[in-house]
Amino acid sequence: MTDERPVRRLLFLHEDPALGRRLADLLGTPAGGAWRVAHLTHLKDALVHEEVGAVDLVLVGTAPADADSLGPLRRLCAAVPEVPLVSLVPGRGVKARAAAREAGAVDCLDADELNNDLLVRTLEFCHREGQVKRELARVTARLDWLTHMDALTDLLNRRGEEKVLLEELARCRRAGRELVV
């Protein structure tokens, strides 16, 4: 019996095509977790790729061709907040890692000491963490709906009406208007 893992989609943003090919070769194998790697060199192409094709994870290299490494992290995180981003940082710099996390990276890898096992484990962990966060958001939204709606009629229940009334009251106060109930 074989361990069949679904193919995951990785967007790799970095200027070096040789590193992109090496990454695709490594991650395309069963030992690499069966990732399909799309290697792009420019941020504008990565943003278009995100709009057109679904991606499970984004790996941003140390030097995209058209920007520094933090700009693309911020832009990609803003464009697709539900997709985890991992950053390659040069060396073991604590400041570079902190800056990458502040820009939106969920994890950082040392670009100078990139080893296959660590890369695969980190990508798998970040992918799974992203799945758990999406599931938590879905369950939280469902719980919020159940808290504020009547399941039989799909109308607001007492808690839902109270919440809407308080929000409307706050809005009227900010606007300096009166509220009539």
Side-chain angles (χ1 to χ4, degrees):
M1 190 170 179
T2 61
D3 181 27
E4 291 291 323
R5 291 185 188 174
V7 175
R8 294 169 182 89
R9 297 154 305 203
L10 174 72
L11 173 61
F12 180 47
L13 179 60
H14 192 276
E15 69 179 350
D16 183 9
L19 183 58
R21 283 190 298 276
R22 191 178 118 216
L23 196 65
D25 290 344
L26 166 72
L27 294 174
T29 65
W35 289 83
R36 187 174 342 143
V37 178
H39 173 241
L40 300 171
T41 57
H42 291 82
L43 175 61
K44 62 181 180 178
D45 297 333
L47 290 169
V48 168
H49 184 79
E50 273 295 324
E51 290 176 12
V52 175
V55 172
D56 296 315
L57 194 95
V58 177
L59 178 63
V60 179
T62 55
D66 58 354
D68 65 345
S69 60
L70 295 179
L73 276 172
R74 288 186 188 99
R75 298 255 325 260
L76 286 166
C77 189
V80 284
E82 67 278 359
V83 176
L85 287 105
V86 177
S87 177
L88 290 176
V89 294
R92 295 181 177 215
V94 175
K95 287 183 182 179
R97 289 176 182 272
R101 287 188 184 255
E102 199 173 292
V106 295
D107 206 345
C108 301
L109 291 169
D110 183 355
D112 300 331
E113 296 181 14
L114 196 58
N115 95 32
N116 299 347
D117 186 44
L118 180 62
L119 174 68
V120 170
R121 282 195 337 244
T122 301
L123 294 180
E124 291 291 333
F125 175 79
C126 291
H127 177 257
R128 182 68 187 131
E129 183 181 38
Q131 286 179 320
V132 168
K133 284 181 179 179
R134 285 189 295 275
E135 179 66 14
L136 179 62
R138 187 189 67 73
V139 168
T140 302
R142 176 72 177 148
L143 183 60
D144 185 59
W145 185 89
L146 288 170
T147 302
H148 296 99
M149 301 294 285
D150 181 357
L152 184 61
T153 62
D154 275 348
L155 297 174
L156 289 172
N157 63 15
R158 181 183 54 79
R159 284 191 187 111
E161 287 179 6
E162 183 178 313
K163 178 183 174 188
V164 170
L165 184 61
L166 289 173
E167 289 170 356
E168 189 63 24
L169 182 61
R171 189 177 68 80
C172 287
R173 283 183 181 155
R174 282 192 306 272
R177 297 186 180 157
E178 295 182 7
L179 177 67
V180 178
V181 180

